[in-house]
Amino acid sequence: MRWVTTAAAIETAATGLILLFSPVLFGRLIFGGELSESGQALGRLSGIVLLGFALTSWPDPSARPISRAMIIYNLLATVYLCYLGVMGITAGLLLWPAVALHLCLTVLLAAERMAARQV
C-alpha cells in the first residue's frame, strides 16, 4: 500500500501549486470568498511550504517520519476544514469534497502505517 503516501504527496503538491499560482482561485473554491493582498501572499507562501513538504516523500514514500507527518497534516486539515464548514464560517464549492479527500487520505495513511507495523 505504498501508493497511499505517494497519492497523498501528489495531492499536497497539487494544492501547493494551486496556492502558489492562483491563491484567489483556491480561496473561491475552498472558502467561497476573496483573499486580500496579504491573504494572497500568505497563500503563496503556504503553497511553497506544501510543495516542499510533498517533495520530502519522493525519495522514500514509506519512511516512517514522512508517513506520520502526512497523517498529521491530513488529519488536521480534515478537522479544520470541517470546523469551517460546520460553523458556517466559510464554505466554497470544494470545501466538503476537500474534507472528504483529506479524511480518506488520513484513514488510508493510518491503515498503511498499521499494516507496515504488522510486517
Side-chain angles (χ1 to χ4, degrees), residues 6-16 50 54 70 73-74 98 101-102 105:
T6 302
I10 290 169
E11 181 274 330
T12 303
T15 302
L50 287 174
M70 286 287 190
Y73 161 69
N74 280 287
L101 176 63
H102 284 289
L105 287 172

Side-chain angles (χ1 to χ4, degrees), residues 74-84:
N74 280 287
L75 176 64
L76 293 176
T78 301
V79 170
Y80 184 64
L81 292 174
C82 191
Y83 165 79
L84 291 176

Side-chain angles (χ1 to χ4, degrees), residues 57-89:
S57 69
W58 231 250
D60 184 10
S62 62
R64 294 185 78 196
I66 292 168
S67 66
R68 184 177 347 147
M70 286 287 190
I71 291 169
I72 292 168
Y73 161 69
N74 280 287
L75 176 64
L76 293 176
T78 301
V79 170
Y80 184 64
L81 292 174
C82 191
Y83 165 79
L84 291 176
V86 168
M87 297 305 289
I89 295 171

Side-chain angles (χ1 to χ4, degrees), residues 5-68:
T5 306
T6 302
I10 290 169
E11 181 274 330
T12 303
T15 302
L17 286 171
I18 291 169
L19 276 166
L20 185 59
F21 291 112
S22 187
V24 172
L25 176 63
F26 185 88
R28 276 192 217 121
L29 292 175
I30 302 296
F31 302 124
E34 298 297 319
L35 298 177
S36 66
E37 295 230 3
S38 58
Q40 291 177 45
L42 185 59
R44 285 191 175 94
L45 183 60
S46 299
I48 292 166
V49 170
L50 287 174
L51 278 173
F53 179 53
L55 290 174
T56 62
S57 69
W58 231 250
D60 184 10
S62 62
R64 294 185 78 196
I66 292 168
S67 66
R68 184 177 347 147

